[in-house]
Amino acid sequence: MPLLEVLVRTGLSTEMTTTLLADGPPLLMDHLAAESPLPKQMARQFLEKVSGESYGYDVEAWRTWIAGLGA
């Protein structure tokens, strides 16, 4: 089971989310922008679960949201 799927199923605290997403994790953004549907979908589901937002596959919108975590 992919790590992102495990994280989606178990949930994360706000503090853990902020720590994991610090500096806009490049691998997560790469998954979101992937052509292959599985990594793309898992990245979107993870981000939607931890954020409560729905930016779909808009990498720049997610980068902006992640950047706001450190503010």
Side-chain angles (χ1 to χ4, degrees), residues 6-70:
V6 170
L7 293 173
V8 167
R9 288 178 182 218
T10 59
L12 294 170
S13 68
T14 302
E15 182 179 287
M16 179 62 81
T17 298
T18 303
T19 301
L20 285 174
L21 297 178
D23 301 320
L27 185 57
L28 183 61
M29 295 296 104
D30 288 349
H31 275 58
L32 187 63
E35 290 188 27
S36 180
L38 183 60
K40 184 177 191 111
Q41 180 181 16
M42 291 310 307
R44 181 190 51 80
Q45 287 177 346
F46 170 76
L47 287 164
E48 288 177 354
K49 175 82 172 183
V50 300
S51 71
E53 301 292 336
S54 181
Y55 299 122
Y57 299 105
D58 186 338
V59 175
E60 289 310 311
W62 284 115
R63 286 185 201 275
T64 300
W65 179 82
I66 290 168
L69 290 175

